[in-house]
Coordinates of all heavy atoms in Angstrom, one line a residue:
L1 N 0.8 -1.2 0.0 CA 0.0 0.1 0.0 C 0.9 1.3 0.0 O 2.0 1.3 0.6 CB -0.9 0.0 1.2 CG -1.9 -1.2 1.4 CD1 -2.8 -0.9 2.6 CD2 -2.8 -1.3 0.2
L2 N 0.3 2.4 -0.6 CA 1.0 3.7 -0.5 C 0.3 4.6 0.4 O 0.5 5.8 0.3 CB 1.1 4.2 -2.0 CG 2.0 3.4 -2.9 CD1 2.2 4.1 -4.3 CD2 3.4 3.1 -2.3
E3 N -0.8 4.1 1.1 CA -1.4 4.8 2.1 C -1.8 3.7 3.1 O -2.3 2.7 2.8 CB -2.7 5.6 1.8 CG -2.4 6.8 0.9 CD -3.7 7.6 0.7 OE1 -4.6 7.6 1.4 OE2 -3.8 8.4 -0.3
E4 N -1.6 4.1 4.4 CA -1.8 3.1 5.5 C -3.3 3.0 5.8 O -4.1 4.0 5.7 CB -1.1 3.6 6.8 CG -1.1 2.5 7.9 CD -0.1 2.9 9.0 OE1 0.3 4.0 9.1 OE2 0.1 1.9 9.7
I5 N -3.7 1.8 5.9 CA -5.1 1.5 6.5 C -4.9 0.9 7.9 O -4.3 -0.1 8.1 CB -5.8 0.5 5.6 CG1 -5.9 1.0 4.1 CG2 -7.1 0.1 6.2 CD1 -6.6 0.1 3.2
Q6 N -5.5 1.5 8.8 CA -5.4 1.1 10.2 C -6.0 -0.3 10.4 O -7.1 -0.6 9.8 CB -6.2 2.1 11.2 CG -5.6 3.5 11.2 CD -4.3 3.6 11.8 OE1 -3.9 2.8 12.6 NE2 -3.5 4.5 11.2
G7 N -5.2 -1.2 11.1 CA -5.7 -2.5 11.3 C -5.2 -3.5 10.1 O -5.4 -4.7 10.4
V8 N -4.7 -3.0 9.0 CA -4.3 -4.0 8.0 C -2.7 -4.1 8.1 O -2.1 -3.1 7.7 CB -4.7 -3.4 6.7 CG1 -4.2 -4.4 5.5 CG2 -6.3 -3.4 6.6
Q9 N -2.2 -5.2 8.4 CA -0.8 -5.4 8.6 C -0.3 -5.8 7.2 O -0.7 -6.9 6.8 CB -0.6 -6.5 9.6 CG -0.9 -6.0 11.0 CD -0.2 -4.8 11.4 OE1 1.0 -4.7 11.3 NE2 -1.0 -3.9 12.1
C10 N 0.5 -5.0 6.6 CA 1.0 -5.3 5.2 C 2.2 -4.4 4.9 O 2.6 -3.6 5.6 CB -0.1 -5.2 4.1 SG -0.8 -3.4 4.0
N11 N 2.7 -4.6 3.7 CA 3.8 -3.8 3.3 C 3.3 -2.4 3.1 O 2.2 -2.2 2.5 CB 4.4 -4.3 1.9 CG 5.1 -5.8 2.1 OD1 5.9 -6.0 3.0 ND2 4.7 -6.7 1.3
L12 N 4.2 -1.4 3.3 CA 3.8 0.0 3.0 C 4.9 0.9 2.8 O 6.0 0.8 3.3 CB 3.1 0.5 4.5 CG 2.8 2.0 4.6 CD1 1.5 2.3 3.7 CD2 2.6 2.4 6.0
V13 N 4.7 1.8 1.8 CA 5.6 2.9 1.6 C 4.8 4.2 1.7 O 3.8 4.4 1.0 CB 6.3 2.8 0.2 CG1 7.2 4.0 0.0 CG2 7.3 1.6 0.3
D14 N 5.3 5.2 2.4 CA 4.5 6.5 2.6 C 5.4 7.5 3.1 O 6.6 7.2 3.4 CB 3.3 6.2 3.5 CG 2.1 7.1 3.3 OD1 2.3 8.2 2.6 OD2 1.0 7.0 3.8
I15 N 4.9 8.6 3.4 CA 5.6 9.7 4.2 C 4.8 9.9 5.5 O 3.7 9.4 5.7 CB 5.8 11.0 3.4 CG1 4.3 11.7 3.3 CG2 6.4 10.9 2.1 CD1 4.4 13.1 3.0
D16 N 5.3 10.6 6.4 CA 4.8 11.0 7.7 C 3.9 12.2 7.4 O 4.5 13.3 7.5 CB 5.7 11.1 8.8 CG 5.1 11.3 10.1 OD1 3.9 11.7 10.1 OD2 5.7 10.9 11.2
N17 N 2.7 12.0 7.0 CA 1.9 13.2 6.6 C 1.6 14.1 7.7 O 1.6 15.4 7.5 CB 0.6 12.7 5.9 CG 0.7 12.3 4.5 OD1 0.8 13.0 3.6 ND2 0.9 11.0 4.3
V18 N 1.4 13.6 8.9 CA 1.1 14.4 10.1 C 2.3 15.3 10.3 O 2.2 16.6 10.5 CB 0.8 13.6 11.3 CG1 0.7 14.4 12.5 CG2 -0.4 12.7 11.0
R19 N 3.5 14.7 10.3 CA 4.7 15.5 10.6 C 5.0 16.5 9.5 O 5.3 17.7 9.8 CB 5.9 14.6 10.7 CG 7.3 15.3 11.0 CD 8.3 14.1 10.9 NE 9.6 14.8 11.0 CZ 10.8 14.2 11.0 NH1 10.8 12.9 10.8 NH2 11.9 14.8 11.0
A20 N 4.7 16.1 8.2 CA 5.0 17.1 7.2 C 4.0 18.3 7.2 O 4.5 19.5 7.0 CB 4.8 16.4 5.8
L21 N 2.8 18.0 7.4 CA 1.8 19.2 7.5 C 2.1 20.1 8.7 O 1.9 21.3 8.7 CB 0.4 18.7 7.3 CG -0.1 18.6 5.9 CD1 -0.4 20.0 5.3 CD2 0.8 17.9 4.9
K22 N 2.4 19.4 9.8 CA 2.6 20.1 11.1 C 3.8 21.0 10.9 O 3.8 22.3 11.2 CB 2.9 19.2 12.3 CG 3.2 19.9 13.5 CD 3.3 18.9 14.7 CE 4.6 18.3 14.7 NZ 4.8 17.5 16.0
R23 N 4.9 20.5 10.2 CA 6.0 21.4 10.0 C 5.6 22.6 9.0 O 6.2 23.7 9.3 CB 7.1 20.5 9.2 CG 8.3 21.2 8.9 CD 9.4 20.3 8.3 NE 10.6 21.1 7.9 CZ 11.5 20.5 7.0 NH1 11.5 19.3 6.7 NH2 12.6 21.2 6.7
A24 N 4.9 22.4 8.0 CA 4.5 23.4 7.1 C 3.6 24.5 7.8 O 3.8 25.7 7.7 CB 3.7 22.9 5.9
A25 N 2.7 23.9 8.7 CA 1.8 24.9 9.4 C 2.6 25.7 10.4 O 2.3 26.9 10.6 CB 0.7 24.1 10.0
L26 N 3.5 25.0 11.1 CA 4.3 25.8 12.1 C 5.1 26.8 11.5 O 5.4 27.9 11.9 CB 5.3 24.8 12.8 CG 4.5 24.0 14.0 CD1 5.5 22.9 14.6 CD2 4.0 24.9 15.0
Y27 N 5.7 26.5 10.2 CA 6.5 27.5 9.5 C 5.6 28.8 9.2 O 6.1 29.9 9.5 CB 6.9 27.0 8.2 CG 7.4 28.0 7.2 CD1 8.8 28.6 7.4 CD2 6.6 28.5 6.3 CE1 9.2 29.6 6.6 CE2 7.0 29.5 5.4 CZ 8.3 30.1 5.6 OH 8.8 31.1 4.7
L28 N 4.4 28.5 8.7 CA 3.6 29.7 8.5 C 3.1 30.4 9.7 O 3.1 31.7 9.8 CB 2.2 29.1 7.7 CG 2.4 28.7 6.3 CD1 1.2 28.0 5.8 CD2 2.9 29.8 5.4
I29 N 2.8 29.7 10.8 CA 2.5 30.4 12.1 C 3.7 31.2 12.6 O 3.5 32.3 13.0 CB 2.1 29.4 13.1 CG1 0.8 28.7 12.7 CG2 2.0 29.9 14.5 CD1 0.3 27.5 13.6
E30 N 4.8 30.6 12.6 CA 6.1 31.4 13.0 C 6.3 32.5 12.1 O 7.0 33.4 12.5 CB 7.2 30.3 13.1 CG 7.1 29.3 14.2 CD 8.0 28.2 14.1 OE1 8.8 28.2 13.2 OE2 8.0 27.3 15.0
A31 N 5.8 32.5 10.9 CA 6.0 33.6 9.9 C 5.1 34.7 10.1 O 5.0 35.7 9.4 CB 6.0 33.1 8.5
G32 N 4.2 34.5 11.2 CA 3.3 35.6 11.6 C 1.8 35.3 11.1 O 1.0 36.3 11.5
H33 N 1.6 34.2 10.5 CA 0.1 34.0 10.1 C -0.6 33.4 11.3 O -0.7 32.1 11.4 CB 0.2 33.0 8.9 CG 0.8 33.6 7.7 ND1 0.2 34.5 6.9 CD2 2.1 33.5 7.1 CE1 1.1 34.9 5.9 NE2 2.2 34.3 6.1
E34 N -1.3 34.2 12.0 CA -2.1 33.8 13.1 C -3.4 33.3 12.7 O -4.2 32.6 13.5 CB -2.2 34.9 14.2 CG -0.9 35.3 14.8 CD -1.0 36.3 15.9 OE1 -2.1 36.7 16.2 OE2 0.1 36.6 16.5
N35 N -3.9 33.7 11.5 CA -5.2 33.3 11.0 C -4.8 32.3 9.8 O -4.9 32.8 8.5 CB -6.0 34.5 10.6 CG -7.4 34.0 10.2 OD1 -7.7 32.9 10.2 ND2 -8.2 35.0 10.0

C-alpha cells in the first residue's frame, strides 16, 4: 500500500503526513500567520 489502513498489517511505503503538514503549518504560524 501507498497509504496506510489502520488494522491492515501489510507492506507500506508512505511519508509521515502528520509530521509534514505540522512542519508546514508551524512554518506559516512562525512567519506571523495567526489566521
